[in-house]
Amino acid sequence: MKDLNIDIYADTAYLTEIAAWATEPRVRGFTTNPTLIRAAGVTHYAEWAHSVLAMVPGLPVSLPMLAPDLAHMEIQAREIEMWGPNVYVKIPIQTSTGESTLPLIEKLSHDGIPLNVTAVFTAEQARQVQYALRDGGPYFLSVFAGRVADTGCDPEELLRMLCLRPWKRQGRVIWASARQVGDVVRAVDAGCDIITLPPALLLKLPTLGKDLDTYSRETVAQFEEAARELRW
């Protein structure tokens, strides 16, 4: 694998996958979200979260709140933060109704709760988060680069702008929602600190830096193997 100056976090909710990647040196943290947790068949969130934390006691783990409103978000955030010293509480930049979570982000951060501010899509959202988190506790800023790219916009330009700013003291910028393993290179070029990858992309990490002529021959070999099983 190409040597790249970026931390890689596994993005999953399956306990078997977390256990498998917990011993991989290239994986230096874990993230998840309610969609992944539901897909993994989790029925009791707190029990599942404690199982995860027991598997990766020395690595940062971002755990989301489940509440849709600010009052209950705060209650859940303060409970989740107590689950372990390596926990970052995930909080979205806004609710689904468009209500800003910035006042709560600022309050929690200045109370020393490590945060992962998520679902950030725009430069203005990032600027507002940076201001709210000034002089607060440690945090991650998760820019959903993959989803931004899905709209036809260039996430690398946005992230490069964010990563060049001098505000990054206690905070780290995440390239989130990666769509291909090549996003690792783009995240490095943009100056990101972290990229989150699902297991399907983690498995492709050895492809980075691979000789293209060799890769071409291997691809043709796969086609030839499949062709042998076909009739004319």
Side-chain angles (χ1 to χ4, degrees):
M1 173 185 163
K2 187 176 181 180
D3 186 21
L4 296 168
N5 184 28
I6 193 169
D7 285 348
I8 295 171
Y9 285 16
D11 191 29
T12 181
Y14 289 92
L15 294 179
T16 53
E17 292 177 342
I18 293 169
W21 289 104
T23 57
E24 168 56 57
R26 290 172 296 184
V27 173
R28 298 174 182 172
F30 288 84
T31 63
T32 191
N33 62 57
T35 301
L36 294 175
I37 295 168
R38 180 181 63 181
V42 175
T43 56
H44 195 293
Y45 178 53
E47 289 181 2
W48 169 87
H50 281 94
S51 296
V52 171
L53 294 170
M55 292 178 181
V56 290
L59 297 176
V61 179
S62 292
L63 296 173
M65 298 171 291
L66 306 183
D69 62 279
L70 269 61
H72 290 93
M73 279 184 183
E74 180 173 359
I75 294 171
Q76 291 185 355
R78 295 188 184 282
E79 180 177 349
I80 292 170
E81 189 264 341
M82 296 174 62
W83 290 348
N86 54 331
V87 169
Y88 280 74
V89 179
K90 289 189 79 171
I91 179 170
I93 182 64
Q94 60 182 331
T95 70
S96 61
T97 62
E99 183 179 6
S100 174
T101 60
L102 288 170
L104 178 57
I105 288 171
E106 183 172 9
K107 182 178 182 181
L108 294 173
S109 179
H110 284 77
D111 284 347
I113 296 177
L115 299 177
N116 182 338
V117 182
T118 189
V120 175
F121 278 66
T122 70
E124 178 59 21
Q125 287 177 338
R127 186 195 65 79
Q128 293 172 347
V129 171
Q130 292 165 10
Y131 185 78
L133 292 169
R134 69 196 186 285
D135 303 323
Y139 66 91
F140 298 144
L141 179 64
S142 289
V143 178
F144 274 43
R147 296 197 184 200
V148 170
D150 288 343
T151 70
C153 297
D154 183 6
E156 191 171 342
E157 181 180 350
L158 166 62
L159 282 156
R160 184 176 290 109
M161 176 189 67
L162 296 178
C163 294
L164 287 176
R165 290 187 178 179
W167 58 267
K168 276 200 313 177
R169 295 183 181 88
Q170 73 276 28
R172 306 186 76 199
V173 176
I174 296 179
W175 179 297
S177 74
R179 295 296 192 257
Q180 55 188 1
V181 72
D183 284 342
V184 176
V185 177
R186 297 185 69 194
V188 171
D189 289 343
C192 295
D193 303 291
I194 300 165
I195 185 169
T196 61
L197 297 177
L201 293 184
L202 288 171
L203 291 171
K204 291 185 178 182
L205 282 174
T207 307
L208 289 176
K210 191 169 188 173
D211 177 74
L212 293 178
D213 186 64
T214 300
Y215 204 8
S216 174
R217 292 197 304 272
E218 292 175 355
T219 300
V220 174
Q222 291 175 343
F223 293 160
E224 290 178 351
E225 182 180 356
R228 284 192 290 269
E229 301 179 10
L230 300 175
R231 293 185 179 183
W232 186 257

